[in-house]
Structures are given as C-alpha cells and as structure tokens.
Amino acid sequence: MSMLSIGGSALLLVPRNGLFVERDILRPIRRAPATLVGMCGIVGYVGNSSRRADAGHSALDVVLEGLRRLEYRGYDSAGVAVVADGTIAARKKSGKLTNLLAELESDPLPTSLTGIGHTRWATHGGPTDQNAHPHLADGGRLAMIHNGIIENFAELKQELLEKGVTFTSETDTEVAAALLGDIFRNQLNGESSNLTKAMQLACQRLEGAFTLLAVHADQPDVVVAARRNSPLVVGLGEGENFLGSDVSGFIDHTRRAVELGQDQIVTITADSVEITDFFGAPAQGKEYHVDWDPASAEKGGFSSFMEKEIHDQPDAVAQTLLGRSDLNGQLTLSELRIDPELLKKVDKIIVLACGTAAYAGLVAKYAIENWCRIPTEVELAHEFRYRDPIVDAKTLVVSISQSGETMDTLMAVRYAREQGAKTISICNTNGSTIPRESDAVLYTHAGPEIAVASTKAFLAQITAAYLLGLYLAQLRGNIFSGQIKDVLADLGKVPAKIQEILDGAGPLRELARSMKDEKSVLFLGRHVGFPVALEGALKLKEIAYIHAEGFAAGELKHGPIALIDEGQPVFVVVPSPRGRDSLHAKVVSNIQEIRARGARTLVIAEEGDETVRAYAEHVFYVPQTPTLLMPLLTTVPLQIFAAELAKAKGYDVDQPRNLAKSVTVE
Ligand code: AGP
C-alpha cells in the first residue's frame, strides 16, 4: 500500500486493490486556481474491466466525449490513441473533430480501456495530419500528446537525430515523445517497463511549458502525465480515473478533481493515482469538488469566455515571451525567417491591422520608434490599401491579427507585398491565411480567444510587437544588450502585475455595475496611454453598446472638451509621474479642466501617484512599470470595467450583437 498525501489535509491511501480517500478537513476550492492558458484540449482515461460492460466507458468513448467538451478551445486538428492487444492504435486528422470522427468511422480503433486524446492549437508546425497529436515513438509502442511549448526541442532533436531517431513532423511534441521513448527503451538500466520513471527522467531534460500525457503498449493499464506551467487536472472515479487539461474533459463522469502542482508527474490506473515530482519523490495534489455545471466548466468557472480570457492574460503574456530570449538576455526569434541583412536596411515600418489589433500597433509604434529609431506608421488596413501608399523594398510591413483571417488586413498585406515590401505577421492562429501569405510570422501564444471582444490577444500582440522592436534594435545595434536585458526583465515581471490588478478589481467592478445605465463614457490618454484610451472605448462600445470615445488628452482643448457636461464620466489613463519628461503634469491639468466642468473623473494611475487623488472621483492603481510597457497594465482595468458593465446590463458578453470574431469580408 503506498501512502500519499493529497490536498495537504487529505490522505489518499492507495491500496493495490482499490482507491479510496480518507478525508479529514477538506476545503473544496470553489473555483479552480488561476487559469493557465490551455492552448490544446487534453484527455486521458484508464478504466477497469467492469467498466468495459458499461456503455460509454470504453477509453475511446470517454476520450472523444472529453474532446467534444473541450471543443470550445478551438483547434486545428485532433487525435486519439488507445492501448489494445499489446499495441498502440492511433488516429489523427487535421481540421475539426468531425474529421477525426469520420476517420474513426471508416477505420475503427480496437476496444480498449486505456486511452488519450488531444485537440491541437498549433504553436510549432502548421495544422496538418502529420503535426496532429498523438505522436508515436519507440517503434510505435509509445504515444504522447502535449500542450505547451518545449523551449529546448531543437537541441534535443539534434541529440536524438545523432542517435539515429527519425522524425515525421515539425513539432516539438514529437521530439518530447522520441526522448521519452529513448529513455524508456535504453536508459532505465534494465528496469523493465517503467513509464513513470522514464517520464521523470524525460521531464528533467525538458525546458519550457508543457502538459504531457503518454501511454505505452508494454504497460496497457497505465497513463502517465506531467505538467510544468501548463494545466492538468486528475478526475477520480470508481474503477476508473481521468486526466484533463481542465475539468471539462471528464465532468460528465466525476466531480472529484485533483489539481496538480508545478513540476509534478501523475500515474493513473483504473484503481490508483500516484503523484511524484520530477525526481520520483512522492508529491501532493489538491483535491477539490467541481461544483460547476459543464457549461461553466468550459469557461473555467468564469461567467463568460471574455472574463476567462481577461484572467488568462498573465499567462498569455508569459507564454508569448517564453523561449524567445536566451540566458544572456538576447532575443532569439528563430521563427522570424527574414534575412537579417534586409532587416538592417529597413528605413520605414508600416503596421497594418484593424480594430483592437490596430491599437496594439499604435502602442508598438511608440516602443519601436524609441528603440529602433525607424519611422513607424500605423495604418488601418482598409484605408492603407486604397490611399496609394508609398511602399518599397526597404519598407517592412508588420500585420497584426488575432485570427489571421481578417480580409481587410489580408488584402492590405497582399498589396504591400506586390509593392515589394517585406511582411511580418504577428498572429495568434497558427497556419491561418495572413501568416501563410507573409514572409515571416511571430506567433502570439495567447491560446484560443473565443470571445468576440479581444482581450488576451491584445496584450499578447503588444508583447510580440515589443519583442519584434527589441529584436530589430538588437540586430541594428540601436540599443545596448544591457538595455535589452533590462526591458526583457521588466516584461518578465508583467504577468504577476496583471494578476495583482485582476485580484484587486472588486471596487472597479462595483463602479461598473453602478454605471450600467450611463449613455456615454469618454476615455482620455496621452503617449502610450492614447491607444489604451481608444481600446477602452472600443471594449465598451462592443459589448455594452454604450457610446464611448477615446481621445488623445492633448486634443481635449481642440474640441472634445465641449462634450463635457455635468456628470459626464471620463476615464483618464495617467502617465507615470516618474521619469524626466513626464507628461504627468499635463494630463493632471486635463483632469482639472474636465472636473471643473462637472466631469466624473475615473483615473487609472500608477501606484504611488498621490497627486491625482485630489482631482479624481475614483482612482484605480496599477503596479509601476516602465512607461513603454504601461499599456500591458493600464488596459486591464478598462477591460474589466466593460465586461462587468455589460454583464450588469444582462448582455451576451461573448457574442455581442452585429459582431463576428473574425471579419472575413472586406
Ligand atoms: C476587438 O475586440 C474586435 N474583436 C475587433 O476590433 C478585432 O480586433 C478586429 O476585427 C481585428 O481582428 P483580428 O485581430 O482577428 O484581425
């Protein structure tokens, strides 16, 4: 009998012949821990023979049902693998889950009680059958599925190639599978068939963010999984156990879940759950009861996908930064396949985008011009194309698009290429049209964004644009490596600062609810705060259907101040008072001007800025960060405000009227 402790105060006694949990004081977690960006849907299952008789409890039934539940995550391919008759049987198809179901119909899998399944949101390698998961290794006797990014996959792949391993896909996952297979077969020092041990050794080699699930034909009643910076939960059943990237994967079968901690490995059989760290020491999981209904489980317990995605933002920024700089703090944008010599000759940058993506471009302009000293224009794609713009071989066109399918942006990129410009796509959807038609792509890793109103993709777009600007500056020698290192270090602190804002948003939500009947809200910002003001206004328009307008604060006296009437709510995004040429004083006088005319001044300011208190009806503080990075923080309160106000009005926050997630018409 192995003794483990799960949940700190719960004792999970795992006798060989059964599984039971002896509870003392268990505090069920009402909401799952802060959501990690799940780019893919993951399901694992092991049941015992008594389950075989139960309808719907074959491994394939359970896994496919779980993938259906995870369908909301969006994906570009799907696959399953089962262990049966001493072999691994797997099927995988690009496209929607229905493509996989059709494949299974025409080419069925053998019955099994052990299986894994995956819906892919591609990061490395396009959405093809070959790149779909599961990936096989060890002569087809091992299958693996993965969510996340293996940062050091290139060096591991080289090591395995030198051992004679061959690969059929471009994915980092196949490298992880091959590593696990090699360890299982050749590095367990004669210890037979120990997939758990092999996974421990493999995880000691892997860097990055990953949830891995693996099955092996030599151990037909076991699924082994591992997690680092990527979601994984265990579902505890009777005579069966489950794994999922979130509880949606198994909520139809059990509501007893165990949250795994960082750098943990879990081995499930039909009757046991064993948790260790990456070095084999017994470890703890936290058991909790899932009290969500299936629909809210898909939203991680949040009231809408938009709320969930707002809370995904710390991870969306972190994942977009992951693996793009080396230990010396230098940018390593290996996926940016444009001749560095060409980039050194660029004498103009034009950013093309629409809507929120265009506001990300406006933020990027301030940073890129500051770091690279290259004139940077930001153009609404639908305007650019028809104004006979000046574009040549020394123009770098950077398109920004969450979907990668926005027709206005696509047509503008095509036009720019015809004029001889080099094009880079900043995009959140792997393998979509705009990246495919660009010279290079820098993917954001925000995970699927379901809500029509863009939130986490916006912050990820800004983050990717910063990385591009730093990369160009590094290439052209505009700024010293020390400064690049400092900016990257400041960026690395942003996810935790966003989390602070999310955790302290109660008063802001209260204000939003109190303002649900407002007819108009204005937003002011200056410098990088100006695009934030535009984005805050767009969010409110989009989901609360309230007239809202963003202005450059300096523009107020040139007309908009005429709009200020008694009680007119105005959000003001205030620059930091720190720094040499702070615009702080100018914006504070703007606040005074509108307050004198009766405006309700709602101020977003940085912690420690006491000056604004005297002129603000409400102040919402964000943690300090360098000015150019401020939009990653000052945007978040405006997103929360819009989502909470729209919810208070009873509107469909995720599917607002008249809008589509991707505008694929001109
Ligand atoms: C933003 O909340 C809107 N969904 C919309 O402005 C969007 O940003 C715009 O249509 C561009 O979409 P894309 O990023 O997919 O190209």
Side-chain angles (χ1 to χ4, degrees):
M1 177 185 293
S2 56
M3 299 278 283
L4 291 179
S5 70
I6 280 196
S9 59
L11 201 55
L12 178 62
L13 307 178
V14 188
R16 286 293 163 229
N17 59 351
L19 169 78
F20 63 88
V21 174
E22 192 172 76
R23 285 193 185 83
D24 35 38
I25 306 138
L26 266 185
R27 293 171 299 287
I29 299 173
R30 281 281 156 248
R31 170 176 292 165
T35 52
L36 289 165
V37 167
M39 289 180 196
C40 308
I42 280 188
V43 183
Y45 176 78
V46 187
N48 64 25
S49 52
S50 69
R51 283 298 180 188
R52 188 190 299 278
D54 295 5
H57 278 259
S58 79
L60 185 60
D61 296 331
V62 172
V63 165
L64 288 178
E65 195 175 353
L67 295 184
R68 274 193 205 93
R69 282 257 176 244
L70 292 164
E71 192 165 7
Y72 73 89
R73 289 170 177 270
Y75 52 85
D76 43 56
S77 54
V80 290
V82 297
V83 189
D85 314 326
T87 64
I88 293 281
R91 302 284 185 276
K92 56 185 186 175
K93 283 300 278 180
S94 61
K96 291 217 169 280
L97 192 54
T98 46
N99 295 1
L100 176 64
L101 297 177
E103 174 80 3
L104 289 165
E105 190 70 31
S106 62
D107 184 8
L109 285 173
T111 304
S112 167
L113 283 166
T114 302
I116 56 178
H118 183 268
T119 56
R120 182 169 182 248
W121 179 263
T123 52
H124 287 80
T128 62
D129 290 0
Q130 277 299 21
N131 288 338
H133 303 198
H135 286 281
L136 304 185
D138 193 23
R141 295 188 61 74
L142 179 145
M144 175 185 278
I145 58 179
H146 165 225
N147 177 12
I149 298 166
I150 306 291
E151 280 188 76
N152 59 334
F153 83 97
E155 66 193 72
L156 291 171
K157 184 166 187 172
Q158 191 49 45
E159 188 184 303
L160 291 159
L161 284 167
E162 286 161 14
K163 287 187 170 185
V165 174
T166 56
F167 293 90
T168 59
S169 82
E170 320 154 62
T171 65
D172 54 345
T173 308
E174 192 182 9
V175 173
L179 176 69
L180 181 62
D182 179 56
I183 292 170
F184 183 90
R185 190 57 56 198
N186 307 313
Q187 298 179 37
L188 289 181
N189 306 324
E191 193 180 333
S192 66
S193 302
N194 189 332
L195 191 56
T196 302
K197 175 78 176 170
M199 182 67 90
Q200 288 161 0
L201 294 173
C203 288
Q204 292 168 30
R205 298 290 314 279
L206 298 177
E207 292 167 18
F210 48 85
T211 301
L212 302 172
L213 264 66
V215 287
H216 199 287
D218 294 3
Q219 291 182 256
D221 60 355
V222 166
V223 177
V224 179
R227 71 159 294 253
R228 168 181 283 170
N229 289 325
S230 180
L232 178 64
V233 281
V234 180
L236 301 176
E238 300 300 327
E240 58 186 7
N241 287 303
F242 309 80
L243 292 166
S245 36
D246 68 48
V247 295
S248 312
F250 51 72
I251 196 166
D252 294 308
H253 299 281
T254 180
R255 288 176 176 273
R256 291 174 54 209
V258 175
E259 175 215 343
L260 295 178
Q262 185 73 310
D263 287 11
Q264 287 191 343
I265 285 169
V266 60
T267 303
I268 67 169
T269 68
D271 303 310
S272 67
V273 171
E274 297 197 9
I275 302 174
T276 73
D277 65 14
F278 282 2
F279 297 89
Q284 299 180 7
K286 274 199 197 87
E287 184 174 345
Y288 62 97
H289 180 265
V290 181
D291 50 12
W292 304 328
D293 59 53
S296 60
E298 291 175 6
K299 298 166 192 159
F302 292 103
S303 58
S304 66
F305 282 115
M306 184 177 177
E307 274 291 346
K308 175 182 179 296
E309 288 153 11
I310 288 172
H311 286 77
D312 277 349
Q313 293 185 121
D315 213 56
V317 171
Q319 297 269 349
T320 299
L321 291 169
L322 200 60
R324 286 169 160 167
S325 61
D326 62 23
L327 293 175
N328 304 319
Q330 295 307 289
L331 274 300
T332 56
L333 302 187
S334 51
E335 72 264 51
L336 210 58
R337 296 192 187 100
I338 285 191
D339 178 357
E341 292 313 309
L342 285 179
L343 292 177
K344 286 179 184 171
K345 294 186 184 117
V346 163
D347 62 6
K348 175 164 74 171
I349 293 174
I350 299 177
V351 179
L352 298 176
C354 301
T356 288
Y359 301 151
L362 283 174
V363 171
K365 169 190 169 73
Y366 290 92
I368 292 173
E369 288 192 338
N370 182 286
W371 293 329
C372 306
R373 311 312 299 159
I374 305 174
T376 301
E377 298 166 16
V378 182
E379 298 258 1
L380 291 173
H382 39 79
E383 286 295 317
F384 168 81
R385 183 154 165 257
Y386 297 103
R387 67 166 185 79
D388 192 13
I390 300 162
V391 176
D392 62 27
K394 292 205 277 186
T395 306
L396 175 64
V397 164
V398 179
S399 66
I400 302 179
S401 175
Q402 189 288 128
S403 63
E405 300 298 345
T406 299
M407 189 54 72
D408 288 325
T409 307
L410 173 61
M411 301 311 282
V413 167
R414 282 182 182 163
Y415 177 85
R417 290 198 80 189
E418 285 158 13
Q419 304 302 311
K422 283 293 173 215
T423 57
I424 291 175
S425 161
I426 291 177
C427 185
N428 194 48
T429 308
N430 197 301
S432 55
T433 307
I434 296 173
R436 280 210 316 271
E437 296 201 14
S438 300
D439 295 297
V441 55
L442 188 57
Y443 281 114
T444 53
H445 293 149
E449 187 175 70
I450 314 298
V452 165
S454 186
T455 51
K456 63 176 181 175
F458 177 63
L459 293 200
Q461 287 162 356
I462 293 173
T463 304
Y466 287 152
L467 291 173
L468 179 60
L470 289 170
Y471 178 74
L472 291 171
Q474 175 181 286
L475 208 58
R476 301 159 64 103
N478 298 94
I479 52 179
F480 300 111
S481 57
Q483 188 183 348
I484 292 174
K485 208 168 172 178
D486 292 346
V487 176
L488 288 172
D490 288 325
L491 275 171
K493 295 170 190 162
V494 163
K497 293 178 176 179
I498 296 172
Q499 193 58 51
E500 265 185 65
I501 297 167
L502 296 172
D503 295 343
L508 177 66
R509 292 181 183 280
E510 207 176 306
L511 173 72
R513 290 190 292 270
S514 73
M515 292 177 64
K516 71 181 179 67
D517 298 324
E518 288 295 342
K519 298 289 179 263
S520 153
V521 180
L522 304 182
F523 294 76
L524 297 186
R526 188 134 191 185
H527 194 258
V528 287
F530 171 36
V532 173
L534 296 173
E535 171 60 8
L538 177 58
K539 288 283 110 27
L540 204 56
K541 277 182 269 200
E542 270 193 288
I543 62 175
Y545 318 146
I546 289 179
H547 171 261
E549 199 161 347
F551 298 104
E555 191 61 8
L556 206 57
K557 54 191 173 299
H558 299 287
I561 199 163
L563 287 171
I564 306 299
D565 204 345
E566 189 59 35
Q568 169 66 53
V570 182
F571 271 100
V572 186
V573 181
V574 177
S576 165
R578 296 170 296 122
R580 184 170 33 82
D581 50 358
S582 165
L583 291 164
H584 182 266
K586 289 178 172 38
V587 175
V588 170
S589 15
N590 294 143
I591 298 175
Q592 291 170 299
E593 286 156 21
I594 58 176
R595 193 174 170 79
R597 290 164 175 77
R600 292 182 63 191
T601 51
L602 315 170
V603 170
I604 312 286
E606 95 171 359
E607 276 162 9
D609 180 354
E610 292 303 315
T611 313
V612 297
R613 280 188 189 281
Y615 313 107
E617 179 182 308
H618 295 277
V619 185
F620 300 98
Y621 285 107
V622 298
Q624 292 186 2
T625 197
T627 294
L628 289 175
L629 310 187
M630 283 292 276
L632 291 174
L633 302 181
T634 52
T635 304
V636 178
L638 302 183
Q639 296 168 333
I640 294 168
F641 176 81
E644 191 68 26
L645 192 151
K647 183 180 157 193
K649 291 174 81 82
Y651 291 166
D652 181 346
V653 167
D654 290 332
Q655 303 289 340
R657 69 185 182 197
N658 311 338
L659 291 173
K661 182 58 185 170
S662 176
V663 182
T664 54
V665 292
E666 272 201 288

